[in-house]
Amino acid sequence: MSSLILEYHDISKTFFGIKALDGINLVVNEGRVLGLIGQNGAGKSTLMNILGGVVQPDPGGHMLLRGKPYAPRNPASATTHGIAFIHQELNLFTNLNIAENIFIDQLPKRRLGGVRMPIVDYGEIYKQTSELLHSISLKLSPKTLIDDLSPGERQMVELVKALHLDADIIIFDEPTTSLTARETEQLFGIIEQLRERGKTMIYISHILADVLNIADDIAVLRDGKLISAGSKEEFDINRMIAMMIGRELSQLFPERTHRPQPQVLLEVEHLSQRGIVRDICLQLHEGEVLGVFGLMGSGRTEMARILFGLDDFESGEILVQNQRLNRNSPKRCIRNGIAFVTENRREEGLLMEATILENLVLASLNNWARTPVRLLDKTALLNQANRAVEALQIKSGDISLQKAKSLSGGNQQKAVIAKWLMSRPRIFIMDEPTRGVDVGAKYEIYSITNELAANGGGIIFISSELDELIGMCDRIVVLGRGEICGEFCAPDYDKHAILRAAFREGVQEA
C-alpha cells in the first residue's frame, strides 16, 4: 500500500494577470510514477516549478512533503528536501566534463593532515562519478566533456546528477524529446530500476503512449485546473486526449484538400559538403509537403541549415523558382520567401529576453516600415502579430510586455512558427516543428502547414516521427549518412520499407 509523499492543497499561480494554476489539489504516492499530462500552457511546468522552488505560489494554498509543511524559497531549498528536476532544456555546462557537472555545487577538497585544502579532489569525484555511471549502465568516462556528448547522453548525465543528490522525488520534464528509440528504452529501464528502489517520479510528456507505458498514476491538467487524477487503468489515449483539449479529437491529421502542382519552387542539384551531405538532389513543388526522414546523424538538420544559408556547401546548386542562390545567406533566403523553423527554439528560434511581439516581427520588420523615412507602422504590425497569435492559439498575456522566456515550451514553438508566418514565406523549411508540443497544438501546426500548401506554398517537413510524416506528406525522402537513400510517394507508403531505407538496408522506391 502506497503512502502519500507529496500533497498540493489549493495551489494557484498568476502570471501577467492570467491564471497559470487555479486551485490545484493533487496527491503523489510514494514509490510510484505519476504521469502528468496537459496541453502546452496547461500549467504542468508551473506546478513542478513551484515544487522545485523556482517560482512561488499565490497566497492561500500550501504543500505538504511527507505530511509536513513544504514551502521552498529557491531551487537550493528544494534540493535539500530531496527534490530533483530534470528539465526539458538541460542545465549543463558544456565546457566542463561529466564529473565537474555532477559535483558543481559541492566539489570535494583534498585533505592534508586532516585539514581540508583549497584544492579539488578530482580523484574522489572521478571515482564517485564512475560508480554513478556504472549504476545506470552508462559506459562513459567521467572525464568526457559535455560538449562531446549526444543529446541522449546529456539527458542521462542530468539523471546521474539526480542520483548523486539521492533525491526522493525526481521530476522528468519531456525527457525523451531528444532521445533515440534505443536511448528512450534505456531511460525507461532506469526509471523501472528507480521505482524498484522506492523512488517517486513525476513524468511529464506529450507522448501519451509513453505515459501509459511508464506511469502508475495519471493526472490531467487543462487551463490551469486539475481535470482528473487516478490509476492509469482508468485511462486510455482517447480519454486522455479528450480531457486535455476539452473535446473529442476525431482524427490526428487534418484532411488534405489539395495536391502538389507541377511548378518547382525549390530545386537542389548535387549539393555536397564534405562529411555532412553528399550529392543531394531534390525538388519541392508548389502546394507540396515534402517529408524528410532519417535516423539521428543522417544529415537532415545539416541539409536544412545549408538550404537556409546558415552553413556553407562545397559544390552543387540551390535554385528558388529557377533563380540560383549564389553566396547564400539567411538574409537572402528571407528576401526570396524562405522561412526556417529550427529544431532548437531556445537558442536559435527566439530571443528569450525580448517580448513576444519583438520576436514575432524579427523576420518581417522591413515589411512594416512603409513611410518614406522608414518609420514603423506600429498599429498594423501589432494587429498582424495578434492575428498570428490567435491563429496559432498561443497562450499569452500582452504580447507587447510579456517576454518569450515566460511562455511554455509548446507556446514558444508556436511563437517561432508565428514569427515566420508574418514574413509570408513561399517556402517553409520546418525542422521537428512539433517536438515537445501537445496533441492539440500539433493539430493546429498541421492545419497551418496544410493551409500554407493549399495557398501555393511548399513545405519541407523534417521529423523523427514517421507516423507524422506519413499522415502529413505528399512525398517522403529518406536520408542516411548525408545521402538520399530512398524516396516514397503517398498514398502508397510502406512503413517498413521507409525504415529499411533509413537503416540503409537497400534503397526502396515507390
Side-chain angles (χ1 to χ4, degrees), residues 27 92 98 248 347 377:
V27 297
L92 296 172
I98 294 174
E248 297 289 339
E347 295 181 14
D377 185 344

Side-chain angles (χ1 to χ4, degrees), residues 343-395:
E343 66 173 343
N344 188 347
R345 59 178 175 253
R346 290 186 67 87
E347 295 181 14
E348 298 175 352
L350 296 171
L351 300 175
M352 287 298 171
E353 294 296 332
T355 66
I356 298 169
L357 177 61
E358 288 167 339
N359 274 280
L360 293 184
V361 302
L362 280 175
S364 58
L365 202 56
N366 283 335
N367 299 344
W368 309 101
R370 295 172 178 167
T371 63
V373 291
R374 307 294 288 168
L375 294 176
L376 287 176
D377 185 344
K378 292 184 179 179
T379 300
L381 183 153
L382 183 59
N383 289 339
Q384 184 62 33
N386 280 317
R387 282 194 289 270
V389 168
E390 184 178 353
L392 279 164
Q393 298 185 35
I394 299 172
K395 295 180 181 178

Side-chain angles (χ1 to χ4, degrees), residues 164-209:
H164 165 63
L165 296 171
D166 195 27
D168 294 319
I169 300 176
I170 304 174
I171 305 159
F172 294 88
D173 189 1
E174 294 289 351
T176 63
T177 52
S178 299
L179 303 189
T180 64
R182 182 177 298 175
E183 289 168 336
T184 297
E185 185 177 344
Q186 182 184 13
L187 174 64
F188 288 171
I190 294 168
I191 289 175
E192 183 59 40
Q193 292 176 27
L194 293 173
R195 176 162 38 201
E196 291 173 359
R197 294 187 208 171
K199 298 296 184 183
T200 304
M201 287 161 282
I202 300 174
Y203 187 92
I204 304 172
S205 179
H206 293 305
I207 306 175
L208 302 184

Side-chain angles (χ1 to χ4, degrees), residues 300-313:
R300 299 169 307 168
T301 294
E302 291 80 1
M303 181 188 74
R305 289 178 59 87
I306 290 172
L307 294 181
F308 194 64
L310 290 165
D311 295 331
D312 293 330
F313 59 96

Side-chain angles (χ1 to χ4, degrees), residues 251-259 443 446-447 450 471-472:
Q251 59 188 56
L252 293 178
F253 304 101
E255 183 179 354
R256 299 295 300 278
T257 58
H258 63 280
R259 291 289 178 266
Y443 193 87
Y446 297 153
S447 298
N450 274 353
M472 281 298 299

Side-chain angles (χ1 to χ4, degrees), residues 26-222:
L26 176 66
V27 297
V28 180
N29 294 302
E30 187 171 13
R32 292 168 70 87
V33 179
L34 172 68
L36 185 61
I37 63 172
Q39 291 195 83
N40 299 119
K44 305 183 300 296
S45 293
T46 301
L47 191 64
M48 293 301 100
N49 282 333
I50 289 174
L51 175 62
V54 178
V55 299
Q56 304 303 313
D58 294 343
H62 66 279
M63 291 183 288
L64 298 178
L65 184 63
R66 297 191 183 280
K68 297 180 180 179
Y70 171 66
R73 304 305 301 174
N74 50 52
S77 174
T79 299
T80 61
H81 282 85
I83 310 295
F85 205 143
I86 300 174
H87 294 269
Q88 180 180 356
E89 311 296 344
L90 302 182
N91 295 314
L92 296 172
F93 294 94
T94 57
N95 61 323
L96 300 180
N97 64 35
I98 294 174
E100 290 166 333
N101 270 275
I102 291 171
F103 285 86
I104 191 70
D105 292 329
Q106 44 185 331
L107 290 168
K109 304 297 192 299
R110 288 184 183 178
R111 288 181 177 273
L112 184 62
V115 179
R116 196 180 299 274
M117 304 296 291
I119 303 172
V120 175
D121 189 345
Y122 275 98
E124 182 62 25
I125 69 170
Y126 289 148
K127 175 178 175 291
Q128 290 189 37
T129 302
S130 293
E131 292 171 354
L132 288 166
L133 293 170
H134 179 73
S135 72
I136 61 169
S137 303
L138 197 58
K139 298 178 180 178
L140 289 172
S141 166
K143 299 179 182 180
T144 305
L145 285 179
I146 298 298
D147 199 39
D148 294 333
L149 299 179
S150 70
E153 289 169 333
R154 295 184 188 191
Q155 187 82 61
M156 296 303 178
V157 171
E158 284 279 19
L159 179 54
V160 170
K161 285 175 64 178
L163 296 178
H164 165 63
L165 296 171
D166 195 27
D168 294 319
I169 300 176
I170 304 174
I171 305 159
F172 294 88
D173 189 1
E174 294 289 351
T176 63
T177 52
S178 299
L179 303 189
T180 64
R182 182 177 298 175
E183 289 168 336
T184 297
E185 185 177 344
Q186 182 184 13
L187 174 64
F188 288 171
I190 294 168
I191 289 175
E192 183 59 40
Q193 292 176 27
L194 293 173
R195 176 162 38 201
E196 291 173 359
R197 294 187 208 171
K199 298 296 184 183
T200 304
M201 287 161 282
I202 300 174
Y203 187 92
I204 304 172
S205 179
H206 293 305
I207 306 175
L208 302 184
D210 286 353
V211 174
L212 279 177
N213 178 35
I214 203 68
D216 300 300
D217 306 300
I218 292 174
V220 186
L221 296 182
R222 184 175 75 239

